[in-house]
Amino acid sequence: MKTILVVDDDTNVRQMMVDELTEEGYRVLSTGNAQDALKIVESDPSLDLVVLDIRMPGMDGLEALPRILGMKEHLKVILHTAYSIYKESFMSWAADAYIVKSADLTELKEKIRELLGT
Amino acid sequence: MDRWEKVCTIIMAGGRGERLFPLTRDKAKPAITFGGIYRIIDFTLSNCLNSGIRRIYVLTQYGSLSLDLHLRLHWNLMRPEFGEYLYSVPPQQITTNRWYRGTADSIYQNLFLLEQERPEHVLILSGDHVYKMDYGDLLDFHLAKNADLTVATVIVPREEGRAFGILHTAADGEVVEFLEKPKDPPPMPGHPDLALASMGVYVFKAPVLVQEVIQDAKNPASKHDFGMNIIPQMVGRKRVFAFPFGDPATGTPRYWRDIGQLDAYFAAHQDLLGENPVFDLFSGDWPIRGALSLLPPAKFFGREGQVTVTDSLISAGCVLQEARVVRSVLSPGVRVARGAQVEEAVLWDGVRVGVEARIRRAVIEEGVHIPPRFTIGYNPEADARHFTVTPGGVVVVPSNVVLEAP
């Protein structure tokens, strides 16, 4: 079973993703801030993919991304944000995908399936 | 508008320089003394200055203290209030706790610099080459070709191309193939006896560079090196062009040396000497900025006709007393005592050569005291017992030795 970490400071959005991805058959971990996400990435070797929000209090997703890849450079990361403007940022290019948030998680789920080969 | 406005310049200066041991045992290769009053990086920095570049990052890593001090003491001339800078950047280790795995990784780990600057193009230079080059010509070529990457190349005889990374180009300069040390180097278009060798000097479109180094960072098989990985992977997939550093009409090459080995270091010094040297520090049109010094002028004294200096460069503060100095380069503050002979030698700052000592084909690091009547370069077996002797027979005396009088 593939393991996904969902990082999003919006409790409702996070819970929706956890529920839907669990239904898809993944083991899903979640946290509301990037600092905790880094601890999980460091300590959980079973992790296969991270869904990372960008705008979060404290450390944002673009700061967290190079740190995540600095620890596990082959870990798949999807940036998942309400804003398309960060696509311009060089820092965002290190992610495997960039998906603009929507109430419908179809695009996100498809990208996860593609990246994990599930 | 300033042609460099949209360009970010990065000098790679972190290499360990193992083949230059012992000169690099305590400092980065670009910080090694060269030509009396220079450090090797001064040539690249002077090229930048003469080309009109006023914003430079120097990526340091191994043995950076000596290099850092040199930049602070002698290159503190950019004016931040005009947007100019020369920043020395050691590995930040914020996003990862590893050092640079290669030249491409050093860019990957510093993507935040490019994010801050948002340049359109990135000029990547090496801090360990000796040459005079107007990078403006390279940039103009890159822009005219609308290239994703332009690789500056030195024109070499085709036979010698076996020792280099060779670029096989079409007539318009587009690179069709990159060959590392090929047995049968492809010729430069229009010149069957010449070939184009990569100089390790590149201009990238910034977004392409970012994409390529990110992709490379995730490739576990990569050595994360521009020459070995990035360039070969881009050829055929992106617009890669070769810029010939030389006269494109006649194929006449221009001077360029990679100071990669001790013999190359020694030979490049010989290139500085004579009335019309191969590489002329006195040409005036392209000033090379070296270490500033408050030392008095060089002083030669003794009986008339007893001090002989031929084909040599003697820096400020040197004192020569009835000595013979031939085809040598003396850094500031070297003292050569009565009856001593210095032949084909490179003496770093403050070396003292004792009475009637003899030195031949040697590089002597700063502050070494050669005792009276001591000889270096005359007895290969004795030299090899105490010092590094290169395949070319050059003796290298490191600064930390204490020599005893014979």
Side-chain angles (χ1 to χ4, degrees):
Chain A
M1 185 187 282
K2 299 283 187 183
T3 303
I4 295 172
L5 170 63
V6 170
V7 190
D8 201 305
D9 62 316
D10 184 321
T11 321
N12 295 327
V13 172
R14 192 167 73 235
Q15 196 53 52
M16 177 178 75
M17 285 197 282
V18 171
D19 292 345
E20 294 204 21
L21 292 174
T22 306
E23 276 174 27
E24 293 276 310
Y26 301 109
R27 174 175 166 251
V28 184
L29 312 174
S30 71
T31 171
N33 70 76
Q35 285 93 336
D36 283 347
L38 294 180
K39 286 179 198 154
I40 296 168
V41 168
E42 189 173 19
S43 61
D44 191 337
S46 67
L47 214 53
D48 298 293
L49 185 145
V50 181
V51 180
L52 184 62
D53 187 15
I54 292 183
R55 282 205 197 170
M56 292 181 284
M59 184 187 291
D60 72 22
L62 290 185
E63 277 182 72
L65 176 59
R67 288 170 166 80
I68 290 171
L69 295 174
M71 286 188 274
K72 308 247 168 91
E73 62 199 357
H74 307 303
L75 191 57
K76 306 285 185 211
V77 180
I78 297 174
L79 287 171
H80 189 235
T81 169
Y83 307 90
S84 59
I85 182 174
Y86 297 109
K87 265 186 201 173
E88 301 293 316
S89 163
F90 286 157
M91 307 309 282
S92 75
W93 296 7
D96 295 279
Y98 187 110
I99 290 175
V100 177
K101 275 184 193 172
S102 143
D104 176 5
L105 295 183
T106 309
E107 188 187 357
L108 178 67
K109 289 179 196 166
E110 277 174 8
K111 186 52 81 174
I112 291 173
R113 277 199 290 275
E114 178 193 323
L115 289 173
L116 294 181
T118 49
Chain B
M1 195 183 74
D2 175 11
R3 82 214 295 197
W4 297 107
E5 189 71 33
K6 298 286 184 190
V7 180
C8 177
T9 298
I10 298 176
I11 301 178
M12 309 272 181
R16 215 179 165 84
E18 273 154 5
R19 289 175 303 157
L20 279 168
F21 187 88
L23 304 183
T24 47
R25 75 198 177 286
D26 59 357
K27 57 175 80 74
K29 185 155 68 156
I32 292 175
T33 299
F34 185 90
I37 63 165
Y38 310 97
R39 304 296 187 99
I40 297 178
I41 197 172
D42 291 341
F43 294 90
T44 297
L45 287 171
S46 297
N47 287 343
C48 287
L49 214 55
N50 294 337
S51 302
I53 298 171
R54 297 287 183 277
R55 292 176 296 123
I56 304 166
Y57 292 110
V58 179
L59 302 188
T60 65
Q61 175 161 269
Y62 170 80
S64 62
L65 178 62
S66 175
L67 182 58
D68 228 19
L69 288 175
H70 176 70
L71 297 181
R72 280 171 199 233
L73 285 171
H74 304 293
W75 282 93
N76 186 14
L77 41 88
M78 301 303 181
R79 301 302 301 254
E81 61 268 42
F82 298 148
E84 304 175 354
Y85 57 78
L86 173 64
Y87 291 141
S88 157
V89 187
Q92 302 297 295
Q93 306 213 342
I94 291 172
T95 60
T96 179
N97 57 9
R98 63 165 190 258
W99 283 39
Y100 300 142
R101 295 175 295 185
T103 48
D105 191 46
S106 71
I107 299 292
Y108 174 72
Q109 287 199 35
N110 287 298
L111 281 184
F112 70 96
L113 294 177
L114 297 180
E115 180 64 34
Q116 283 165 13
E117 296 252 337
R118 296 302 297 202
E120 287 176 8
H121 303 275
V122 183
L123 172 65
I124 295 181
L125 305 169
S126 176
D128 45 20
H129 297 161
V130 174
Y131 63 128
K132 297 177 191 172
M133 180 176 187
D134 188 338
Y135 301 128
D137 296 341
L138 173 65
L139 180 64
D140 289 346
F141 178 93
H142 173 76
L143 297 174
K145 298 290 185 188
N146 187 26
D148 291 316
L149 161 63
T150 301
V151 181
T153 58
V154 65
I155 302 163
V156 296
R158 209 163 68 83
E159 287 288 298
E160 288 175 25
R162 291 176 192 159
F164 294 94
I166 296 294
L167 296 158
H168 183 189
T169 64
D172 66 346
E174 181 155 13
V175 179
V176 296
E177 199 179 5
F178 178 87
L179 302 148
E180 187 65 37
K181 298 187 176 144
K183 281 200 179 70
D184 184 23
M188 173 181 175
H191 298 276
D193 298 331
L194 301 171
L196 296 171
S198 171
M199 292 165 60
V201 167
Y202 315 108
V203 195
F204 282 86
K205 272 188 189 149
V208 175
L209 173 66
V210 172
Q211 284 163 347
E212 294 296 327
V213 298
I214 286 174
Q215 201 179 323
D216 172 79
K218 295 181 179 203
N219 177 2
S222 176
K223 298 219 184 293
H224 311 291
D225 182 86
F226 277 109
M228 274 188 278
N229 306 104
I230 302 281
I231 317 286
Q233 281 160 26
M234 284 178 69
V235 171
R237 199 162 52 80
K238 299 278 181 182
R239 287 178 64 79
V240 182
F241 281 77
F243 171 80
F245 179 50
D247 189 328
T250 60
T252 310
R254 300 202 46 205
Y255 188 89
W256 173 86
R257 292 290 183 277
D258 174 10
I259 306 297
Q261 299 174 30
L262 291 168
D263 281 321
Y265 174 84
F266 181 81
H269 276 85
Q270 298 296 308
D271 292 342
L272 305 173
L273 305 176
E275 186 184 356
N276 298 305
V278 186
F279 186 69
D280 194 357
L281 295 170
F282 287 70
S283 58
D285 58 339
W286 199 258
I288 307 295
R289 190 185 169 87
L292 305 175
S293 142
L294 291 175
L295 289 168
K299 174 166 79 173
F300 303 1
F301 73 99
R303 287 167 296 161
E304 199 175 328
Q306 297 302 302
V307 190
T308 46
V309 179
T310 319
D311 280 352
S312 295
L313 295 171
I314 312 293
S315 304
C318 287
V319 179
L320 276 58
Q321 178 195 1
E322 295 190 0
R324 183 169 164 268
V325 176
V326 182
R327 296 194 67 76
S328 294
V329 178
L330 274 54
S331 283
V334 170
R335 301 177 80 97
V336 186
R338 178 174 48 78
Q341 299 200 33
V342 176
E343 223 175 301
E344 294 198 335
V346 178
L347 310 187
W348 288 11
D349 297 59
V351 166
R352 289 175 167 226
V353 182
V355 171
E356 293 175 10
R358 290 184 303 151
I359 299 168
R360 188 167 68 182
R361 285 180 77 77
V363 177
I364 303 191
E365 284 190 8
E366 71 271 13
V368 172
H369 286 205
I370 311 289
R373 285 170 285 284
F374 199 89
T375 63
I376 292 169
Y378 288 85
N379 183 339
E381 283 171 22
D383 289 334
R385 273 202 300 279
H386 299 105
F387 312 116
T388 301
V389 181
T390 70
V394 177
V395 184
V396 183
V397 181
S399 59
N400 54 0
V401 299
V402 177
L403 305 176
E404 287 174 18

